[in-house]
Amino acid sequence: MRRVGDGEYFDRLLRAVRLHWGENPGGDRCVVAEVFDQDIRVVVRTLMVAKAVCGASQARLVVLGDPEARQLAEVFGAARDLQPTTPPVALVTGRVDRRVPREIPVVHVHGNGTLQAYALFPEDGPSSYHEDLPGRVAAFFDDHIWQNRDLIAPSAERVAWQAKSDYEVRTDTERRQLRSYGCARLDLDPGLPTIVVFGHVPGEDTELFETTAEFASTDDLANWIFLDPTASVHSRMKCGVDDLSTNILWSLADVGVAFGGSHLPAFGIPVIQAGWSEGSACGATHVARSVPELRTLLEEAVARHAKGDTILGPEQRERARLWLWLSRCASDVPTQLLPHWEHGADYARVLAVNLRYVERDGDPLFTSVQRMWERRDPLLTRFDFRYPTGLSTTLTPARSTR
C-alpha cells in the first residue's frame, strides 16, 4: 500500500493534478467527500468520483480528511471551508456507515479493479444504505441484467472462466480425487456432505456466526470446516482451517456459509449468506436475515445434501454467473485517468503520467458518473443498459466453459 504523501512522486502528482483541473468552481451547492483512508488509491478514487459528481450536480467540492489527504484534495479544487452553510447535495466516501439513515445521496467508492462505486438516492425520505441498497441493486439487476441474460451469457462465461483461475480442477473425477485427499488429510468422513463456513469480520454478524457454530456442534449428518477459529466439539468439526488451497477447499465444499457476498454459486457450490452484501437480493445465494432463518436453511442444506441432492437451483446458478459478470466487469468502469488498483506502490507515478496526457472530456469516468447521477442508478456501469442494441455490439462472445 502506498500512503498518501509518501514517495518521491507525490510532489509531481500534486503538480499534475493542479494542472489537470485548473479551475475551482464556487457557489452555494457542495459535494462533501470523506478521505480519511491512508491508502492513496482510496483517496484518489474518492476525490475523482467526487469531482465527477460536482460536475454532474453543478456544485463545488468540500473535503473532510486527514492533513495529507486534504493537501491532495486542495489541488483537486476542494474548498477550504469545513462547515458548508447549506446541506450538501451528496456525500462521496470510501467508508460508508451502512446503518445510518441519510437524507442526501451517498456514493460509496470501492477498492479493486479500475473504478467501482455504489450509490443510494433517498428520494422519498431518509434511507439506510444497509436496508435499502440491496433491494435497489436487485431491481437494477432484474430490469437490465436478467432481462438481457441471453445477450450477456457469453461474456458472463468468459468472466467466470477468468474468476476461477485459481481452481484448476477440470473434471468431476479430479474433484472426487481431491475431495478424497482432503477428507483424509482432515480426518473427515468422505461419505458425508461437507459444509465450509467462511471467515467473518470480528464484531459483525457475530450472532449468526455463533449460531452456525452451535448448529455444527450438534450436527452428526455433515462434516464442518470453519476457516475462523472456534471451539471444536466433535471430530467432524474442523476449525481454524485457513491454509487449504482453493483446489482442495472448493473440491471439499458441498455448501458454503458466507458472511458477505460470495460468487461460489456461479461455480456450482450453493451458499447460505449470513451477512450483508450489495448483491444479496439478486437471487444468487440463500440469504439468512435472522437466527431462525439461518437454522432453517442449515437444516435444509444438511438434509438434502446428505441424500445426494442440492439446494442450488439452475436459475440460482445462472443468476450467480450474471451477478459475477456485473460485479467484476460491467460495474468496473475503465478510465484512462485512474490506474488499476493492482498498480499498488507505483500508483502515484502512473496517476501523475495519466493526468498529464489524458484529457477528461469524454472520459468514461465522467460519462458513467453523469449517467448514474441523472438516472439515480444504484451503481456505476461501463455500459448503458437502456440501449441493449448498442450493448450487443460491445460485448465479446466467448466459448462456453460450463
Side-chain angles (χ1 to χ4, degrees):
M1 181 189 78
R2 175 73 71 178
R3 292 168 59 91
V4 180
D6 287 353
E8 60 180 303
Y9 288 100
F10 186 68
D11 289 339
R12 183 185 300 181
L13 174 60
L14 292 178
R15 292 194 298 270
V17 173
R18 186 178 292 109
L19 289 173
H20 183 81
W21 290 111
E23 80 288 349
N24 296 316
D28 294 332
R29 294 163 57 86
C30 72
V31 170
V32 172
E34 292 181 337
V35 287
F36 292 100
D37 203 289
Q38 293 299 310
D39 191 329
I40 191 171
R41 297 171 296 182
V42 177
V43 173
V44 167
R45 287 167 178 234
T46 303
L47 291 174
M48 198 72 80
V49 172
K51 286 292 289 188
V53 173
C54 286
S57 61
Q58 299 299 305
R60 58 191 172 88
L61 177 62
V62 173
V63 173
L64 306 179
D66 296 328
E68 296 84 358
R70 286 195 49 78
Q71 183 182 7
L72 182 58
E74 288 181 3
V75 296
F76 267 86
R80 292 181 177 275
D81 55 324
L82 300 181
Q83 294 182 337
T85 56
T86 58
V89 299
L91 171 67
V92 182
T93 179
R95 297 182 180 182
V96 66
D97 190 338
R98 298 201 303 258
R99 297 188 180 275
V100 175
R102 303 284 187 174
E103 296 181 345
I104 62 172
V106 175
V107 180
H108 181 205
V109 183
H110 278 221
N112 299 319
T114 304
L115 179 62
Q116 300 178 14
Y118 289 88
L120 180 67
F121 296 93
E123 309 293 4
D124 301 319
S127 297
S128 163
Y129 196 89
H130 183 276
E131 296 295 331
D132 294 283
L133 184 67
R136 300 190 188 186
V137 171
F140 183 94
F141 179 89
D142 286 338
D143 290 344
H144 301 294
I145 310 303
W146 184 247
Q147 293 298 324
N148 293 310
R149 57 189 179 275
D150 292 337
L151 175 63
I152 296 170
S155 288
E157 291 295 307
R158 174 173 51 81
V159 171
W161 177 77
Q162 292 172 333
K164 66 177 293 187
S165 60
D166 290 336
Y167 186 60
E168 300 170 352
V169 177
R170 295 166 295 180
T171 66
D172 289 339
T173 299
E174 289 182 354
R175 182 181 186 273
R176 285 193 296 269
Q177 291 172 340
L178 271 177
R179 176 184 172 83
S180 296
Y181 168 76
C183 287
R185 175 178 166 181
L186 296 175
D187 193 23
L188 298 175
D189 186 343
L192 297 178
T194 299
I195 317 296
V196 175
V197 182
F198 292 89
H200 79 299
V201 178
E204 295 184 13
D205 307 310
T206 302
E207 185 179 19
L208 295 177
F209 179 79
E210 292 176 349
T211 297
T212 305
E214 178 189 354
F215 184 95
S217 69
T218 59
D219 176 67
D220 57 2
L221 297 178
N223 303 313
W224 292 84
I225 298 176
F226 283 74
L227 300 192
D228 283 346
T230 186
S232 183
V233 177
H234 55 68
S235 60
R236 294 183 311 280
M237 186 176 173
K238 307 300 179 181
C239 307
V241 182
D242 59 358
D243 60 345
L244 296 177
S245 69
T246 301
N247 285 330
I248 294 179
L249 190 62
W250 284 25
S251 296
L252 282 171
D254 295 299
V255 179
V257 179
F259 297 88
S262 174
H263 293 301
L264 286 180
F267 308 107
I269 302 173
V271 166
I272 297 171
Q273 185 174 333
W276 185 93
S277 73
E278 292 86 357
S280 61
C282 292
T285 61
H286 300 272
V287 181
R289 296 179 175 84
S290 65
V291 167
E293 285 186 6
L294 177 58
R295 289 185 179 277
T296 299
L297 286 170
L298 291 173
E299 290 171 356
E300 180 185 3
V302 171
R304 290 181 62 176
H305 283 263
K307 297 178 181 178
D309 198 0
T310 180
I311 60 171
L312 180 68
E315 180 178 315
Q316 196 172 37
R317 174 171 173 163
E318 187 173 8
R319 284 178 171 270
R321 291 218 162 194
L322 293 169
W323 170 248
L324 174 64
W325 175 81
L326 176 60
S327 59
R328 290 283 186 90
C329 173
S331 65
D332 186 14
V333 177
T335 165
Q336 296 183 68
L337 291 172
L338 287 174
H340 194 279
W341 184 265
E342 295 298 329
H343 275 287
D346 206 30
Y347 196 86
R349 184 186 67 82
V350 177
L351 177 60
V353 172
N354 290 357
L355 291 173
R356 281 184 176 276
Y357 297 105
V358 176
E359 293 295 333
R360 64 181 183 269
D361 295 343
D363 188 90
L365 185 156
F366 297 96
T367 55
S368 296
V369 171
Q370 181 82 26
R371 183 168 61 241
M372 179 190 72
W373 184 262
E374 291 179 349
R375 297 177 182 177
R376 288 340 206 201
D377 288 339
L379 72 170
L380 280 182
T381 60
R382 67 167 66 182
F383 307 116
D384 189 342
F385 286 100
R386 291 196 182 182
Y387 298 97
T389 303
L391 184 64
S392 65
T393 63
T394 304
L395 297 179
T396 303
R399 178 173 60 86
S400 175
T401 55
R402 286 178 188 262

